[in-house]
Short mmCIF file of all heavy atoms in Angstrom, two decimals:
data_model
loop_
_atom_site.label_atom_id
_atom_site.label_comp_id
_atom_site.label_asym_id
_atom_site.label_seq_id
_atom_site.Cartn_x
_atom_site.Cartn_y
_atom_site.Cartn_z
N ALA A 31 18.09 34.26 -10.95
CA ALA A 31 16.87 34.77 -11.60
C ALA A 31 16.01 35.50 -10.57
O ALA A 31 15.53 36.64 -10.82
CB ALA A 31 16.10 33.63 -12.22
N LEU A 32 15.81 34.90 -9.39
CA LEU A 32 14.91 35.52 -8.41
C LEU A 32 15.55 36.81 -7.86
O LEU A 32 14.85 37.82 -7.67
CB LEU A 32 14.59 34.54 -7.28
CG LEU A 32 13.69 33.38 -7.74
CD1 LEU A 32 13.45 32.39 -6.60
CD2 LEU A 32 12.36 33.88 -8.29
N HIS A 34 17.66 38.73 -9.41
CA HIS A 34 17.66 39.71 -10.49
C HIS A 34 16.24 40.29 -10.72
O HIS A 34 16.08 41.52 -10.84
CB HIS A 34 18.17 39.04 -11.76
CG HIS A 34 18.21 39.91 -12.97
ND1 HIS A 34 18.93 41.09 -13.00
CD2 HIS A 34 17.59 39.82 -14.18
CE1 HIS A 34 18.77 41.64 -14.18
NE2 HIS A 34 17.98 40.90 -14.90
N LEU A 35 15.23 39.44 -10.75
CA LEU A 35 13.86 39.90 -10.96
C LEU A 35 13.46 40.86 -9.84
O LEU A 35 12.78 41.88 -10.10
CB LEU A 35 12.91 38.71 -11.06
CG LEU A 35 13.00 37.86 -12.33
CD1 LEU A 35 12.13 36.62 -12.23
CD2 LEU A 35 12.64 38.65 -13.57
N GLU A 36 13.88 40.57 -8.64
CA GLU A 36 13.56 41.45 -7.52
C GLU A 36 14.28 42.79 -7.69
O GLU A 36 13.67 43.86 -7.55
CB GLU A 36 13.95 40.79 -6.20
CG GLU A 36 13.53 41.64 -5.01
CD GLU A 36 13.60 40.87 -3.72
OE1 GLU A 36 14.44 39.94 -3.62
OE2 GLU A 36 12.85 41.21 -2.78
N ALA A 37 15.57 42.74 -7.99
CA ALA A 37 16.38 43.98 -8.12
C ALA A 37 15.87 44.85 -9.26
O ALA A 37 15.99 46.07 -9.23
CB ALA A 37 17.83 43.61 -8.35
N GLU A 38 15.29 44.24 -10.29
CA GLU A 38 14.81 44.99 -11.46
C GLU A 38 13.33 45.41 -11.31
O GLU A 38 12.73 45.90 -12.25
CB GLU A 38 14.99 44.16 -12.73
CG GLU A 38 16.42 43.76 -13.04
CD GLU A 38 17.29 44.91 -13.52
OE1 GLU A 38 16.74 45.86 -14.11
OE2 GLU A 38 18.53 44.87 -13.33
N GLY A 39 12.75 45.15 -10.12
CA GLY A 39 11.37 45.55 -9.88
C GLY A 39 10.36 44.71 -10.65
O GLY A 39 9.28 45.15 -10.99
N CYS A 40 10.73 43.45 -10.94
CA CYS A 40 9.85 42.57 -11.72
C CYS A 40 9.11 41.52 -10.89
O CYS A 40 8.10 40.97 -11.33
CB CYS A 40 10.66 41.84 -12.78
SG CYS A 40 11.46 42.93 -13.98
N LEU A 41 9.60 41.26 -9.70
CA LEU A 41 9.07 40.12 -8.94
C LEU A 41 7.63 40.35 -8.51
O LEU A 41 6.83 39.41 -8.45
CB LEU A 41 9.98 39.87 -7.72
CG LEU A 41 9.97 38.47 -7.13
CD1 LEU A 41 10.24 37.40 -8.19
CD2 LEU A 41 10.98 38.36 -6.00
N ALA A 42 7.26 41.63 -8.24
CA ALA A 42 5.92 41.91 -7.74
C ALA A 42 4.83 41.61 -8.77
O ALA A 42 3.66 41.49 -8.44
CB ALA A 42 5.84 43.39 -7.34
N ALA A 43 5.22 41.43 -10.04
CA ALA A 43 4.24 41.13 -11.08
C ALA A 43 3.73 39.70 -11.00
O ALA A 43 2.73 39.34 -11.64
CB ALA A 43 4.86 41.36 -12.47
N TYR A 44 4.39 38.87 -10.18
CA TYR A 44 4.04 37.46 -10.09
C TYR A 44 3.35 37.15 -8.78
O TYR A 44 3.60 37.83 -7.77
CB TYR A 44 5.29 36.59 -10.23
CG TYR A 44 5.99 36.73 -11.56
CD1 TYR A 44 7.04 37.62 -11.71
CD2 TYR A 44 5.59 35.97 -12.66
CE1 TYR A 44 7.70 37.77 -12.93
CE2 TYR A 44 6.23 36.11 -13.90
CZ TYR A 44 7.28 37.00 -14.01
OH TYR A 44 7.92 37.15 -15.21
N ALA A 45 2.54 36.07 -8.77
CA ALA A 45 1.82 35.66 -7.56
C ALA A 45 2.78 35.20 -6.48
O ALA A 45 2.47 35.31 -5.29
CB ALA A 45 0.81 34.56 -7.90
N SER A 46 3.92 34.66 -6.87
CA SER A 46 4.87 34.11 -5.89
C SER A 46 6.24 34.02 -6.57
O SER A 46 6.31 34.00 -7.81
CB SER A 46 4.44 32.71 -5.43
OG SER A 46 4.49 31.81 -6.53
N ALA A 49 6.15 31.18 -8.97
CA ALA A 49 5.51 31.50 -10.26
C ALA A 49 6.47 32.28 -11.14
O ALA A 49 6.52 32.07 -12.38
CB ALA A 49 4.23 32.31 -9.99
N ALA A 50 7.23 33.17 -10.53
CA ALA A 50 8.20 33.96 -11.31
C ALA A 50 9.26 33.04 -11.92
O ALA A 50 9.60 33.17 -13.09
CB ALA A 50 8.86 35.00 -10.38
N PHE A 51 9.76 32.12 -11.11
CA PHE A 51 10.82 31.25 -11.63
C PHE A 51 10.28 30.28 -12.69
O PHE A 51 10.97 29.97 -13.67
CB PHE A 51 11.51 30.47 -10.50
CG PHE A 51 12.71 29.69 -11.00
CD1 PHE A 51 13.81 30.35 -11.51
CD2 PHE A 51 12.71 28.29 -10.99
CE1 PHE A 51 14.90 29.65 -12.01
CE2 PHE A 51 13.80 27.58 -11.48
CZ PHE A 51 14.89 28.26 -11.98
N HIS A 53 7.93 30.96 -14.79
CA HIS A 53 7.85 31.77 -16.01
C HIS A 53 9.24 31.95 -16.62
O HIS A 53 9.44 31.77 -17.83
CB HIS A 53 7.20 33.12 -15.73
CG HIS A 53 7.04 33.98 -16.94
ND1 HIS A 53 7.51 35.27 -17.01
CD2 HIS A 53 6.49 33.72 -18.16
CE1 HIS A 53 7.24 35.76 -18.22
NE2 HIS A 53 6.63 34.86 -18.93
N TRP A 54 10.18 32.31 -15.77
CA TRP A 54 11.57 32.51 -16.22
C TRP A 54 12.08 31.25 -16.96
O TRP A 54 12.65 31.33 -18.04
CB TRP A 54 12.44 32.81 -15.01
CG TRP A 54 13.92 32.90 -15.29
CD1 TRP A 54 14.81 31.86 -15.33
CD2 TRP A 54 14.68 34.10 -15.55
NE1 TRP A 54 16.08 32.33 -15.60
CE2 TRP A 54 16.02 33.69 -15.74
CE3 TRP A 54 14.34 35.46 -15.61
CZ2 TRP A 54 17.04 34.62 -16.01
CZ3 TRP A 54 15.35 36.38 -15.88
CH2 TRP A 54 16.68 35.96 -16.08
N VAL A 57 10.20 30.47 -20.31
CA VAL A 57 10.69 31.38 -21.39
C VAL A 57 12.04 30.89 -21.88
O VAL A 57 12.30 30.82 -23.09
CB VAL A 57 10.75 32.84 -20.88
CG1 VAL A 57 11.50 33.71 -21.90
CG2 VAL A 57 9.34 33.36 -20.66
N ARG A 79 14.86 36.40 -24.73
CA ARG A 79 14.48 35.99 -23.39
C ARG A 79 14.13 37.23 -22.55
O ARG A 79 13.12 37.25 -21.84
CB ARG A 79 15.62 35.22 -22.71
CG ARG A 79 15.66 33.78 -23.08
CD ARG A 79 16.91 33.10 -22.56
NE ARG A 79 16.96 33.00 -21.12
CZ ARG A 79 18.00 32.45 -20.47
NH1 ARG A 79 19.01 31.93 -21.13
NH2 ARG A 79 17.99 32.38 -19.15
N VAL A 80 14.98 38.24 -22.63
CA VAL A 80 14.77 39.47 -21.84
C VAL A 80 13.42 40.08 -22.24
O VAL A 80 12.61 40.43 -21.37
CB VAL A 80 15.91 40.47 -22.08
CG1 VAL A 80 15.59 41.81 -21.45
CG2 VAL A 80 17.23 39.91 -21.54
N ARG A 81 13.18 40.24 -23.52
CA ARG A 81 11.96 40.93 -23.96
C ARG A 81 10.71 40.13 -23.62
O ARG A 81 9.67 40.69 -23.29
CB ARG A 81 12.05 41.21 -25.46
CG ARG A 81 13.09 42.28 -25.78
CD ARG A 81 13.08 42.65 -27.23
NE ARG A 81 13.91 43.85 -27.45
CZ ARG A 81 14.89 43.91 -28.32
NH1 ARG A 81 15.19 42.87 -29.10
NH2 ARG A 81 15.59 45.03 -28.45
N THR A 82 10.80 38.80 -23.69
CA THR A 82 9.64 37.96 -23.38
C THR A 82 9.32 38.00 -21.89
O THR A 82 8.16 38.07 -21.51
CB THR A 82 9.89 36.50 -23.86
OG1 THR A 82 10.37 36.50 -25.19
CG2 THR A 82 8.62 35.67 -23.79
N ILE A 83 10.36 38.01 -21.06
CA ILE A 83 10.14 38.14 -19.62
C ILE A 83 9.51 39.51 -19.31
O ILE A 83 8.53 39.60 -18.58
CB ILE A 83 11.50 38.01 -18.86
CG1 ILE A 83 12.05 36.61 -18.96
CG2 ILE A 83 11.36 38.47 -17.41
CD1 ILE A 83 11.43 35.59 -18.04
N LEU A 84 10.10 40.56 -19.87
CA LEU A 84 9.64 41.90 -19.53
C LEU A 84 8.23 42.19 -20.06
O LEU A 84 7.52 43.01 -19.50
CB LEU A 84 10.64 42.95 -20.10
CG LEU A 84 11.99 42.97 -19.35
CD1 LEU A 84 12.91 43.99 -19.98
CD2 LEU A 84 11.80 43.27 -17.86
N ALA A 85 7.81 41.50 -21.12
CA ALA A 85 6.45 41.70 -21.64
C ALA A 85 5.42 41.36 -20.57
O ALA A 85 4.31 41.93 -20.53
CB ALA A 85 6.23 40.85 -22.89
N VAL A 86 5.79 40.44 -19.66
CA VAL A 86 4.89 40.08 -18.57
C VAL A 86 5.22 40.87 -17.30
O VAL A 86 4.35 41.41 -16.63
CB VAL A 86 5.02 38.56 -18.28
CG1 VAL A 86 4.28 38.18 -17.00
CG2 VAL A 86 4.47 37.76 -19.46
N ALA A 87 6.51 40.93 -16.98
CA ALA A 87 6.92 41.48 -15.68
C ALA A 87 6.94 43.01 -15.65
O ALA A 87 6.71 43.62 -14.59
CB ALA A 87 8.30 40.94 -15.31
N ARG A 88 7.24 43.65 -16.77
CA ARG A 88 7.25 45.12 -16.86
C ARG A 88 6.68 45.52 -18.21
O ARG A 88 7.43 45.99 -19.09
CB ARG A 88 8.68 45.65 -16.72
CG ARG A 88 9.38 45.37 -15.38
CD ARG A 88 8.96 46.34 -14.26
NE ARG A 88 9.17 47.74 -14.63
CZ ARG A 88 10.35 48.37 -14.47
NH1 ARG A 88 11.38 47.73 -13.97
NH2 ARG A 88 10.48 49.63 -14.81
N PRO A 89 5.34 45.36 -18.40
CA PRO A 89 4.77 45.51 -19.74
C PRO A 89 5.01 46.87 -20.40
O PRO A 89 5.02 46.97 -21.63
CB PRO A 89 3.27 45.23 -19.55
CG PRO A 89 3.05 44.94 -18.10
CD PRO A 89 4.36 44.95 -17.39
N GLY A 90 5.20 47.92 -19.58
CA GLY A 90 5.40 49.23 -20.17
C GLY A 90 6.83 49.49 -20.64
O GLY A 90 7.11 50.47 -21.32
N LEU A 91 7.73 48.62 -20.27
CA LEU A 91 9.16 48.86 -20.53
C LEU A 91 9.57 48.37 -21.92
O LEU A 91 9.31 47.25 -22.29
CB LEU A 91 9.96 48.11 -19.45
CG LEU A 91 11.41 48.47 -19.23
CD1 LEU A 91 11.57 49.90 -18.82
CD2 LEU A 91 12.03 47.54 -18.17
N ARG A 92 10.18 49.27 -22.66
CA ARG A 92 10.67 48.88 -24.00
C ARG A 92 12.18 49.11 -24.03
O ARG A 92 12.63 50.23 -23.87
CB ARG A 92 10.02 49.78 -25.08
CG ARG A 92 8.51 49.64 -25.18
CD ARG A 92 8.12 48.40 -26.01
NE ARG A 92 6.68 48.29 -26.14
CZ ARG A 92 5.85 47.71 -25.24
NH1 ARG A 92 6.38 47.21 -24.13
NH2 ARG A 92 4.57 47.63 -25.45
N LEU A 93 12.94 48.03 -24.23
CA LEU A 93 14.40 48.12 -24.21
C LEU A 93 14.95 48.05 -25.63
O LEU A 93 14.47 47.28 -26.45
CB LEU A 93 15.00 46.98 -23.38
CG LEU A 93 14.63 46.90 -21.90
CD1 LEU A 93 15.46 45.82 -21.22
CD2 LEU A 93 14.81 48.23 -21.20
N TRP A 101 20.58 44.36 -19.44
CA TRP A 101 19.66 43.73 -18.48
C TRP A 101 20.09 42.28 -18.27
O TRP A 101 20.14 41.81 -17.12
CB TRP A 101 18.24 43.80 -19.03
CG TRP A 101 17.14 43.56 -18.05
CD1 TRP A 101 16.45 44.48 -17.34
CD2 TRP A 101 16.54 42.28 -17.70
NE1 TRP A 101 15.48 43.89 -16.56
CE2 TRP A 101 15.51 42.53 -16.76
CE3 TRP A 101 16.77 40.98 -18.10
CZ2 TRP A 101 14.73 41.53 -16.22
CZ3 TRP A 101 15.99 39.96 -17.55
CH2 TRP A 101 14.99 40.24 -16.62
#
Side-chain angles (χ1 to χ4, degrees):
L32 291 178
H34 180 58
L35 289 173
E36 184 167 28
E38 300 287 333
C40 298
L41 204 53
Y44 297 94
S46 65
F51 187 64
H53 182 233
W54 174 275
V57 169
R79 277 172 67 180
V80 172
R81 290 185 170 127
T82 311
I83 292 282
L84 290 178
V86 170
R88 296 281 303 276
L91 196 60
R92 298 278 182 275
L93 299 188
W101 196 93

